[in-house]
Amino acid sequence: MNEPAFQPLTHYENFPVASILLPARLRPAVQVIYAFARSADDIADEGDALPAERIAALERYEAALSEIEEQIPQGNPLFAALAGVMRQYGLPAAPLRALLSAFRQDVLVTRYNTFADLLDYCARSANPVGAVMLHLYGRTDPQNLQQSNAICSALQLINFWQDVGIDWQKSRIYLPLEDLERFGVIEADIAAGMPTPAWRKLMAFEVERARAILLSGAPLARRLPGRIGWELRLVVQGGMRILERLEQADYDVFRRRPKLGVRDWLLVLWRGWWM
């Protein structure tokens, strides 16, 4: 696989690189971290490389992080830029290592037996994004990190519930297998795109569980000041609106995958204002 290039990337949804609420002073740093995460995620998900090749490429990212910690100069422009951001903001490598571990898991794991297993994956695939942003804003006290983790994990779960059909095309199921068994849903139902009564009960359960986790982290959006607070309010309300859309579609994510339109975003803005 080719060495990662430092270029503008546009489809890693977890980073607010395009948000008008992101302060201009932080945009260069966020773009660098975003490029690192996006290019590593693409190694795990895109193209036709063999699993062993993907893992080897991700291990090169891991090695680069270790070298950055040891202050070894980086020849690759992306890693060199990341080293500068980590020095400037005192950003630890741990959240980035967690992301890499999740990307490696994407190469090797396509099913999750329990909800605890899935939350462990979210803790490494989603929560580091919130931790990185809090580091950049200098707001990394324990309560902030705990509530940020709840928001990020909930958003990851909501994305999974939206994308059941899309993930199936990648041979992945993120719904816990214990939940499928509990509600009497089999993989053939997902393959057929069949929103059976059992499927709807399963999804109603998962939607309510994600909502509870999201609300447990919502106080962070009210507590943080300025732009980061507004960013989080819109993120929380956007997640809540997707959950409502799932309910309105009667959980038929196969034919009616929820997407937010203009009216939805106006509602999100209004709710964010009144949070």
Side-chain angles (χ1 to χ4, degrees), residues 45 118 191 234 264:
D45 279 341
L118 188 60
L234 298 183
D264 295 298

Side-chain angles (χ1 to χ4, degrees), residues 59-134:
E59 286 176 349
R60 290 197 288 272
Y61 275 62
E62 183 82 33
L65 282 180
S66 295
E67 291 176 354
I68 289 170
E69 287 182 305
E70 296 168 8
Q71 299 184 7
I72 298 174
Q74 297 297 301
N76 180 276
L78 172 56
F79 296 148
L82 180 63
V85 168
M86 292 172 68
R87 284 194 303 270
Q88 181 179 355
Y89 291 94
L91 180 66
L96 303 178
R97 279 207 172 87
L99 284 174
L100 293 178
S101 75
F103 299 152
R104 285 195 297 271
Q105 187 163 315
D106 281 334
V107 176
L108 302 171
V109 178
T110 60
R111 302 291 188 277
Y112 291 84
N113 289 322
T114 69
F115 187 62
D117 293 336
L118 188 60
L119 283 182
D120 175 71
Y121 172 76
C122 293
R124 290 174 288 116
S125 67
N127 297 6
V129 176
V132 165
M133 297 306 298
L134 289 176

